[in-house]
Amino acid sequence: MRPLFAIVVLMMLPLSFAAAQVVGGWKKADVKDPAVIEAADFAVKAQQAALKKAGKDETLALQKIVAAEQQVVSGMNRKLTLQVKSGDQIQSIETIVWTRAWLKSEERSQLSAWKVLETKE
């Protein structure tokens, strides 16, 4: 009976680790982490460049990082909830920045998503 019990325990052990950490899952990140701040600054600058390229004369300014999550991929995804000033409005934004630290600075980060959640006057 003891060997059977030991086998069952050993088989269940990986499940307990899987419950504690989801590989590739999103984890909360500190909004004051320098990498999170860098990703937020990059996101606003990249969206500003995209607006300019589209012929829109809109100025964006980061007001606050509200929340941050990160996901280990081939590099790091950072999902950020930001408050961004756009003209006279404050927008709540959800954005994702993909960062690959080993690349040259101009290729290091990529804006993967930019979604306006709410606009306040």
Side-chain angles (χ1 to χ4, degrees):
M1 188 69 166
R2 284 191 141 187
L4 180 60
F5 177 75
I7 290 171
V8 171
V9 168
L10 289 174
M11 289 175 62
M12 300 284 291
L13 195 57
L15 294 176
S16 65
F17 289 119
Q21 174 61 43
V22 178
V23 176
W26 291 96
K27 289 196 280 185
K28 190 172 179 172
D30 185 352
V31 297
K32 295 179 182 179
D33 181 320
V36 169
I37 295 167
E38 182 179 337
D41 288 337
F42 172 82
V44 173
K45 288 176 186 171
Q47 183 64 16
Q48 180 72 60
L51 289 171
K52 185 176 180 180
K53 188 175 181 179
K56 296 183 180 178
D57 188 31
E58 207 172 317
T59 302
L60 302 178
L62 177 63
Q63 299 294 296
K64 180 180 180 183
I65 302 171
V66 178
E69 295 177 84
Q70 56 190 27
Q71 175 189 43
V72 177
V73 290
S74 178
M76 183 72 74
N77 275 334
R78 289 189 174 83
K79 186 188 312 181
L80 310 170
T81 303
L82 308 174
Q83 283 184 348
V84 175
K85 186 170 185 180
S86 177
D88 294 336
Q89 301 176 330
I90 300 293
Q91 296 179 329
S92 180
I93 304 291
E94 183 177 88
T95 186
I96 298 175
V97 176
W98 178 33
T99 304
R100 295 156 296 168
W102 61 90
L103 295 178
K104 291 186 273 183
S105 63
E106 64 272 1
E107 300 170 346
R108 185 172 295 149
S109 295
Q110 178 180 330
L111 184 62
S112 301
W114 181 275
K115 180 180 177 184
V116 178
L117 303 174
E118 182 181 11
T119 300
K120 295 179 185 176
E121 305 255 348

